[in-house]
Amino acid sequence: MEKLQDKFGREINYLRLSVTDRCNLRCTYCMPERGMVFEPKEHILSYEELLQLVDVMGEMGISKIRLTGGEPFVRADLMYFIKELSKKSYLDKISITSNLTLIRPHLDELESLGVKDINVSLDCLDRQKFKEITRRDEYEEVSGALYEMIARNFNLKVNCVVMKGVNEDQILPLIELAKEHPVSVRFLEEMPFNGSGGKVETPMNYKDILSVIEKEHDFTKMIDGPHSTSQNYQIEGFKGSFGVIPSFSRTFCGDCNRLRMSATGEIRTCLYGHSQLNLRDILRSGASREEVKEALMVAVANKPKDGFAAAEENEKEYLSMTKLGG
């Protein structure tokens, strides 16, 4: 088998696959409220094209896929695609990142397919603050879906982007979710991918976040799994756990096993890096499977050492996260 491996000897087995660049929220740290230009339908890979490319990557060692967006459930017939992915014997895990606004009608089918690993994008537990951050009034739907999924034993990771002066007061309320429920609440440093080109000058870093929590709770470090992006902690008596993700500090890059593909086929070997190639264009040009594999091998071989090296190569081109694939 031709394995995807970079020049630092890291094997790539995890694909973060965006199925759409569209979202029904307008979170301040992700995109501007107005003026976003979304890709026309003909630029987006069809499900059949996506399945072709996933098969190629499966032959090269990809065994885990996380579906992202935008918001994945904005795309029509997403469950068809998930059902087809669930048939792939080379995939050990299929997971989804979602804002939960549209997921509830699909819970039965997700359960039946065994797709129960969901990363929830949720930055507060306050309706008004939710409306200010997302610029949409969807808190009741999101909250209802969250608690229904907890009751149905979905494996949930609740991801909060901590923004200085905006929602640091939500850190402790979100921690309380893990007290009564077996969920992992994770706090992310804010990144510069907001679609405006603007930088995040002084984000709250992971040490700042931990300092807020330690004023209220004693916690102990857990053993993090291989390739984990989060530093995970346990509070005595809590059913769940919490973690911090140094997404801006980039302390976890050393053993990165990830590859990103946007809904338009752009391949990025690092979130902070530039597009290495476009598989949509290669596929639609009539390229053979071997030619697609060769292009992937070259792209992965050139994967930067870490997020800082990637940012330097990228000359700090800060697109919206919805364009990059969540």
Side-chain angles (χ1 to χ4, degrees):
M1 181 190 293
E2 299 160 290
K3 290 281 190 181
L4 288 170
Q5 182 171 299
D6 69 17
K7 59 188 174 187
F8 303 101
R10 299 174 295 200
E11 288 193 2
I12 309 303
N13 59 14
Y14 176 17
L15 174 66
R16 294 183 65 99
L17 176 60
S18 173
V19 295
T20 180
D21 66 336
R22 296 173 186 269
C23 188
N24 56 337
L25 302 183
R26 290 292 182 273
C27 297
T28 56
Y29 56 83
C30 183
M31 66 175 98
E33 183 173 12
R34 298 180 181 85
M36 279 294 295
V37 179
F38 296 106
E39 295 290 340
K41 184 177 180 180
E42 61 269 21
H43 289 184
I44 302 294
L45 286 158
S46 69
Y47 287 138
E48 288 69 28
E49 290 172 322
L50 286 171
L51 290 167
Q52 280 183 264
L53 293 173
V54 168
D55 278 341
V56 170
M57 294 186 211
E59 292 174 8
M60 303 179 80
I62 292 295
S63 58
K64 176 182 176 181
I65 286 184
R66 174 170 296 281
L67 301 181
T68 68
E71 165 52 39
F73 286 95
V74 166
R75 183 162 178 177
D77 301 319
L78 179 67
M79 290 309 304
Y80 159 78
F81 182 58
I82 295 174
K83 190 180 298 183
E84 291 303 306
L85 286 179
S86 71
K87 299 174 185 177
K88 305 298 183 182
S89 60
Y90 52 80
L91 290 180
D92 298 328
K93 181 183 283 189
I94 302 166
S95 52
I96 304 170
T97 294
S98 173
N99 61 32
L100 301 194
T101 55
L102 302 169
I103 200 171
R104 272 213 271 195
H106 309 290
L107 294 182
D108 287 343
E109 194 167 8
L110 288 171
E111 276 191 294
S112 70
L113 294 173
V115 179
K116 299 193 72 174
D117 291 281
I118 311 294
N119 279 16
V120 180
S121 301
L122 180 61
D123 303 307
C124 64
L125 291 175
D126 175 87
R127 180 176 179 175
Q128 182 56 36
K129 195 173 290 285
F130 181 94
K131 189 174 181 180
E132 291 168 5
I133 293 171
T134 67
R135 305 183 178 112
R136 298 293 186 270
D137 190 10
E138 292 282 353
Y139 179 75
E140 298 303 325
E141 176 59 34
V142 171
S143 178
L146 175 70
Y147 286 106
E148 180 174 346
M149 293 171 76
I150 289 172
R152 295 173 72 148
N153 296 314
F154 276 79
N155 178 27
L156 301 181
K157 293 177 180 177
V158 178
N159 289 344
C160 166
V161 175
V162 180
M163 293 162 282
K164 192 172 183 178
V166 177
N167 69 334
E168 66 262 51
D169 64 336
Q170 294 296 300
I171 293 173
L172 293 175
L174 281 162
I175 284 279
E176 290 298 309
L177 278 177
K179 184 175 184 178
E180 299 297 333
H181 308 291
V183 301
S184 174
V185 180
R186 308 190 306 175
F187 300 99
L188 290 75
E189 296 174 345
E190 187 179 4
M191 293 180 285
F193 305 112
N194 53 29
S196 70
K199 298 179 182 179
V200 182
E201 296 294 351
T202 55
M204 284 188 70
N205 66 32
Y206 67 101
K207 295 178 183 178
D208 299 327
I209 295 166
L210 287 173
S211 71
V212 171
I213 298 168
E214 69 185 3
K215 290 175 183 176
E216 189 72 24
H217 299 288
D218 293 323
F219 50 82
T220 55
K221 184 75 174 64
M222 299 170 65
I223 297 174
D224 300 325
H227 312 295
S228 177
T229 58
S230 61
Q231 301 172 10
N232 301 297
Y233 300 87
Q234 185 71 53
I235 299 172
E236 186 175 356
F238 277 41
K239 293 181 180 179
S241 61
F242 79 90
V244 291
I245 300 180
S247 40
F248 189 77
S249 300
R250 286 160 271 183
T251 62
F252 49 71
C253 291
D255 65 346
C256 180
N257 65 334
R258 294 163 176 78
L259 187 67
R260 291 174 180 269
M261 185 166 76
S262 74
T264 58
E266 297 282 349
I267 290 289
R268 278 181 169 79
T269 56
C270 176
L271 180 59
Y272 283 88
H274 58 74
S275 170
Q276 297 282 350
L277 76 155
N278 188 297
L279 287 184
R280 177 202 63 205
D281 294 345
I282 293 173
L283 189 67
R284 290 180 182 178
S285 73
S288 66
R289 291 173 80 90
E290 292 307 313
E291 288 171 322
V292 173
K293 285 183 181 180
E294 180 60 30
L296 278 167
M297 294 283 282
V298 171
V300 169
N302 290 319
K303 181 178 173 71
K305 181 179 180 180
D306 55 34
F308 295 102
E312 287 301 316
E313 292 177 12
N314 194 24
E315 298 180 348
K316 300 179 175 58
E317 177 198 5
Y318 296 132
L319 301 175
S320 166
M321 185 67 83
T322 194
K323 295 286 189 183
L324 299 173

